[in-house]
Amino acid sequence: MSKAIKSIVSQDVRNKVVLIRADFNIPIQDGKIQDITRVSRSLPTIKFLLNAGSKVVICSHLGRPNGEHVEAFSLRPLITALSDILKIKVHFTISCIGQGALEAKKNLKPGEILLLENVRFHKGETENNIEFARELSGLCDFFVNDAFSCSHRAHASLHAITNFLPSFSGMLLDEEIKALTSVLNSPAKPVAALVGGAKISTKINIIEFLITKMDFLVIGGAMANTFILAKGYDVGKSMVERDAINLAKTILEKSKKFDCKIILPEDLVVSKQFEENSDHKIVNTSSIPSEMMALDIGPKSIENIKSIFENIKTLLWNGPLGAFEINPFGTGTFTLAKFAADLTIKNQLITVAGGGDTASALNKSGVAEDFTYISSAGGAFLEWLEGIELPAISALGNN
Ligand code: ADP
Ligand code: MG
């Protein structure tokens, strides 16, 4: 990042009205919260501010209401959730801007919370509208971005808002940036990235960036099939992107220039069907039967990757190594997750992972807790891995 970001924890916030941009974009059905994880991750900053005697104003988006008030996307169910967790009264306004919001901010006392209604009920939010941001900032003293997962978007409550208030990072954002910076910019070496998942085309920019940074790049999942094809082998009925062969060839070539060793699976688990417990067998990568598809990496590949894990100090993981959702094709992903977690517990490896399906695969493996850090951000994590400066983070550094 170009300029240093200041954390709110180093500020005197007593009696100040602090506006936090949180990511409360959580699944809610018929007014009932389905998963509170994202809210839990926001608690350290909220608690810090409450204890320090701030007046805490929280804003967030929820879903895609397209600039209209849509009750299904209301943050209202969070009033009770937050007051139950924090054991304090949570005030609420039915609009994040306007007279009602200003009144509520004025009446707020130190140690209290005001939750503002969904910022995306106003078109100005996604348009990064200056006037909307100015209104949102009204009567606040400080702005805190604690929504790394939204920071790839230049939206008003993340970006334009920094024009109107002294702006700081929150504790969750600090933690996320620290983990990602330590892996990409100053990792303990040797460092490896493991990239899996479905499609090479969605991750091409990530792979191109990673070969300039990593000592090893382990490729698995359906993405490996395109590389296997590029090496001249048949991939049978496997999921593959035939039009990305040249991309794969270019990457294999470029990796040599940057001294990054690419590791492809030596063997694979193949099946005729993409189905739970379907008949399967293990074959060498060079001999995938024409009527079968590769759904996981095989035991030789697992052993090979284990030996790499034993010889590196930092691992960055994005993408499952097989179709982990269907049994038994999660074996490669789960076995290696467990192995990486064990090395992390023994302090031999720093393990940072992220991505929507990756997080759910690691949760399913039961060892997610033992990883050094798992990012809760999907899109923002992936853009960071492409080496892109996230607009809302850059904006924090500009004041
Ligand atoms: P993330 O969301 O973590 O970035 P992706 O969306 O890129 O990960 O990829 C996850 C998907 O890739 C999973 O749904 C998984 O089933 C699929 N996948 C991985 N390997 C294979 C394979 N060999 N064949 C078919 N699908 C696969
Ligand atoms: Mg995904």
Side-chain angles (χ1 to χ4, degrees), residues 196-199 202-203 206 220-225 238-239 268-269 274 293-297 317-326 329 333 354-360 378 381-382:
K199 291 183 171 178
T202 59
K203 298 202 175 158
I206 295 177
M223 167 160 346
N225 299 335
S238 304
M239 179 192 273
L268 298 156
V269 183
F274 191 84
M293 60 185 111
L295 292 174
D296 195 8
I297 59 169
W317 186 332
N318 170 254
L321 293 165
F324 73 96
E325 299 93 337
I326 47 176
F329 308 110
T333 304
D357 294 295
T358 311
S360 85
F381 179 81
L382 295 179

Side-chain angles (χ1 to χ4, degrees), residues 78-375:
L78 279 148
I79 306 172
T80 322
L82 282 172
S83 61
D84 283 354
I85 299 170
L86 295 163
K87 309 272 179 279
I88 55 167
K89 183 168 167 49
V90 174
H91 304 270
F92 182 73
T93 57
I94 54 164
S95 172
C96 63
I97 54 169
Q99 208 47 46
L102 287 176
E103 279 296 314
K105 285 175 190 169
K106 204 160 74 192
N107 295 332
L108 202 59
K109 297 190 179 62
E112 286 187 348
I113 290 184
L114 167 65
L115 175 67
L116 301 175
E117 182 57 289
N118 195 342
V119 284
R120 285 199 194 162
F121 284 178
H122 304 264
K123 289 208 163 49
E125 168 62 4
T126 51
E127 289 168 358
N128 204 21
N129 183 284
I130 282 287
E131 193 46 37
F132 172 73
R134 196 186 59 74
E135 282 199 61
L136 187 63
S137 73
L139 295 184
C140 296
D141 299 303
F142 292 136
F143 170 68
V144 172
N145 179 347
D146 213 17
F148 178 87
S149 44
C150 309
S151 294
H152 54 316
R153 311 215 183 276
H155 288 177
S157 67
L158 293 147
H159 192 269
I161 188 90
T162 61
N163 291 300
F164 301 101
L165 296 171
S167 302
F168 303 90
S169 55
M171 293 160 87
L172 175 59
L173 190 118
D174 285 340
E175 194 185 45
E176 197 106 35
I177 289 184
K178 192 171 147 228
L180 294 180
T181 311
S182 70
V183 180
L184 285 182
N185 299 357
S186 51
K189 289 227 167 199
V191 52
L194 189 161
V195 180
K199 291 183 171 178
I200 181 176
S201 53
T202 59
K203 298 202 175 158
I204 188 70
N205 294 336
I206 295 177
I207 295 177
E208 288 208 304
F209 181 63
L210 289 179
I211 53 175
T212 69
K213 297 264 178 188
M214 298 289 138
D215 299 308
F216 301 93
L217 178 60
V218 180
I219 296 176
M223 167 160 346
N225 299 335
T226 308
F227 284 92
I228 293 168
L229 197 65
K231 290 202 130 192
Y233 301 122
D234 187 17
V235 294
K237 298 250 174 328
S238 304
M239 179 192 273
V240 70
E241 286 170 280
R242 291 184 190 273
D243 50 1
I245 287 193
N246 283 334
L247 278 180
K249 282 187 184 157
T250 313
I251 286 167
L252 291 172
E253 221 22 68
K254 254 199 200 167
S255 66
K256 292 180 198 146
K257 200 167 82 194
F258 291 102
D259 231 355
C260 169
K261 191 166 176 355
I262 294 198
I263 292 104
L264 292 168
E266 296 165 56
D267 58 348
L268 298 156
V269 183
V270 295
S271 172
K272 280 187 185 158
Q273 281 109 17
F274 191 84
E275 262 169 38
E276 191 89 17
N277 298 319
S278 58
D279 272 351
H280 55 275
K281 63 175 184 177
I282 293 151
V283 298
N284 280 332
T285 299
S286 54
S287 41
I288 303 174
S290 59
E291 74 286 8
M292 298 186 110
M293 60 185 111
L295 292 174
D296 195 8
I297 59 169
K300 274 195 276 179
S301 308
I302 294 178
E303 287 312 309
N304 185 27
I305 300 171
K306 277 187 182 174
S307 70
I308 289 173
F309 283 6
E310 278 173 330
N311 288 302
I312 55 169
K313 296 235 165 57
T314 311
L315 173 69
L316 171 64
W317 186 332
N318 170 254
L321 293 165
F324 73 96
E325 299 93 337
I326 47 176
N327 204 22
F329 308 110
T331 307
T333 304
F334 301 149
T335 311
L336 286 166
K338 173 108 190 45
F339 195 75
D342 287 344
L343 290 171
T344 311
I345 293 169
K346 286 191 250 165
N347 275 330
Q348 288 177 30
L349 187 63
I350 294 162
T351 40
V352 176
D357 294 295
T358 311
S360 85
L362 294 177
N363 282 331
K364 206 172 165 192
S365 75
V367 294
E369 296 276 291
D370 300 323
F371 270 58
T372 312
Y373 193 77
I374 297 183
S375 171

